[in-house]
Amino acid sequence: MKCREVELCITSRTSSREVSMQDVVSLFKNLDIDKLSRRKMIMIVKRLTKKCRIRLKRRFGQHFLVDPGAIRRIIEHIRGSEKVLEIGPGIGLLTYLLSQVCGLVIGVEIDRSFINILNMICKLRNNIDIVITDALLFKIPNDLKVFSNLPFYITSDIIVKFVREGVKEALITVQREVANRLTAVPGSPDYGRLSVLVQCFYNVRKLFNIGRLSFYPPPEVDASVVLLERRSNPCISMNVLHIFEKVTSLLFSFRNKNVEKVLKNYLNVQVPDNLRGKRVFELSVDDVVSIVELVAGCIE
Ligand code: SAH
């Protein structure tokens, strides 16, 4: 299909760096998830980056998933003709494997050094579409299911974006610590603003863990694969989402404090009887929702 650039205005350049090398093409054409090993995937990443003269950038969280077992478990979640959004296709290995089992993959990549290789896979398969832009600026069509080995530095912002833009389902690889925050229960050390925000809108399940050696080059932390499925009955209306976001931010900046004091001192509202004596980190999602409704009632 096509490879578009948004924001950055270059049209597709055909220079000596254009990826036309026959062995790169055949590398992709022969990709078969059932025949790949971790060693072979690392070798492919090394060959592709070398051939295409790509220098990996730590600041963009460029750690490629090279664990065929994990990839198999991820792509098992695709149902036939689904349309998929991949945030950060990079050198396109996962993108290509996704395209073999789904209807359409739209890849959104920030780093222009992957343009040639991504252009090439668009030519090889007619169900891959690439947009070169920052995923945080890309409006996510809500009929797309997100699959992404997320660059760790944008994880929280991108998840907040999923909430705001109504993403229905996302299967994401995130830092283990973030996975723990996403699934944390009230009263636990990992429970915070992100847990409340996400659990209000999604059923969240940690599917499995992935060690750091499943990535090339390996990051400094382990990861987990998490499934977010939009709740059909979110506990709060989108109309008050902005209030919800502000209130949860404020509350959890005082996570160990008594709820009554925080509400009185910073929001000027009386604590509901059932929340008297609780500390912020003990508030359930429903408790936070009831506070947001109180605050929204005062504003309206
Ligand atoms: N999906 C690939 C690569 C994951 S590495 C794989 O697992 O094999 C993360 C990718 O996200 C890199 O390609 C990086 O350049 C890209 N990326 C980083 N920040 C981004 C952003 N803000 N928007 C879109 N892509 C981004």
Side-chain angles (χ1 to χ4, degrees):
M1 262 183 137
K2 52 190 182 290
C3 182
R4 285 176 279 146
E5 282 205 71
V6 177
E7 306 289 311
L8 321 158
C9 53
I10 300 190
T11 47
S12 95
R13 279 181 296 176
T14 38
S15 66
S16 54
R17 293 182 69 182
E18 174 88 10
V19 183
S20 58
M21 298 80 97
Q22 207 43 51
D23 59 336
V24 175
V25 171
S26 61
L27 231 155
F28 274 101
K29 281 192 168 165
N30 292 326
L31 269 187
D32 177 347
I33 188 62
D34 293 320
K35 294 192 182 130
L36 285 170
S37 64
R38 176 175 163 275
R39 259 185 65 189
K40 187 155 179 208
M41 287 200 78
I42 293 177
M43 188 272 289
I44 294 177
V45 174
K46 284 184 176 165
R47 267 182 57 195
L48 286 178
T49 47
K50 190 166 172 215
K51 274 268 178 203
C52 306
R53 291 183 228 147
I54 293 165
R55 268 231 194 116
L56 295 183
K57 302 180 185 78
R58 201 182 275 256
R59 73 190 152 96
F60 284 146
Q62 292 172 351
H63 302 281
F64 302 102
L65 191 53
V66 288
D67 175 340
I71 295 178
R72 226 175 278 128
R73 291 177 75 177
I74 289 170
I75 62 183
E76 258 169 23
H77 281 262
I78 293 185
R79 288 180 287 266
S81 58
E82 259 175 346
K83 291 184 196 165
V84 161
L85 172 71
E86 190 195 4
I87 295 167
I91 50 171
L93 282 179
L94 188 59
T95 323
Y96 199 91
L97 292 166
L98 286 168
S99 79
Q100 292 175 329
V101 289
C102 74
L104 170 72
V105 191
I106 300 180
V108 178
E109 173 57 60
I110 198 169
D111 187 351
R112 289 159 54 180
S113 34
F114 297 119
I115 267 190
N116 287 331
I117 205 160
L118 293 172
N119 242 327
M120 192 198 71
I121 62 167
C122 288
K123 284 181 195 145
L124 292 178
R125 290 198 63 87
N126 64 6
N127 65 342
I128 298 180
D129 194 359
I130 299 289
V131 183
I132 301 289
T133 190
D134 182 342
L136 291 170
L137 304 175
F138 180 80
K139 170 90 184 69
I140 306 178
N142 59 19
D143 61 332
L144 297 185
K145 180 162 162 179
V146 177
F147 276 77
S148 178
N149 168 19
L150 277 179
F152 293 163
Y153 79 102
I154 57 165
T155 309
S156 298
D157 289 342
I158 210 89
I159 292 174
V160 173
K161 189 172 162 67
F162 293 167
V163 170
R164 290 186 186 147
E165 294 183 5
V167 168
K168 293 201 181 72
E169 206 172 320
L171 197 121
I172 47 178
T173 305
V174 297
Q175 223 171 312
R176 182 84 43 87
E177 175 228 315
V178 176
N180 294 342
R181 280 163 54 202
L182 293 172
T183 51
V185 295
S188 65
D190 294 319
Y191 188 67
R193 180 189 83 96
L194 192 62
S195 330
V196 175
L197 181 64
V198 170
Q199 291 173 23
C200 182
F201 288 91
Y202 290 95
N203 293 318
V204 187
R205 265 194 298 151
K206 181 154 122 177
L207 298 182
F208 56 95
N209 291 330
I210 306 186
R212 63 196 77 183
L213 295 180
S214 291
F215 300 88
Y216 182 82
E220 275 157 20
V221 289
D222 295 319
S224 299
V225 175
V226 174
L227 178 64
L228 308 179
E229 289 172 305
R230 193 107 182 162
R231 294 170 60 159
S232 51
N233 56 339
C235 27
I236 203 144
S237 132
M238 289 297 277
N239 299 338
V240 290
L241 179 62
H242 58 295
I243 302 177
F244 185 76
E245 286 187 38
K246 289 209 169 100
V247 169
T248 41
S249 268
L250 177 101
L251 284 171
F252 282 92
S253 59
F254 300 102
R255 75 185 305 282
N256 292 321
K257 292 256 178 336
N258 186 294
V259 178
E260 184 172 2
K261 283 201 182 134
V262 180
L263 291 189
K264 195 164 153 226
N265 295 345
Y266 297 95
L267 290 168
N268 200 22
V269 291
Q270 280 282 332
V271 69
D273 282 344
N274 62 325
L275 304 186
R276 218 175 279 283
K278 275 198 176 182
R279 292 183 185 274
V280 170
F281 72 96
E282 294 167 330
L283 292 172
S284 69
V285 174
D286 287 344
D287 294 339
V288 176
V289 169
S290 66
I291 293 173
V292 172
E293 280 165 352
L294 265 179
V295 174
C298 295
I299 296 172
E300 278 158 14

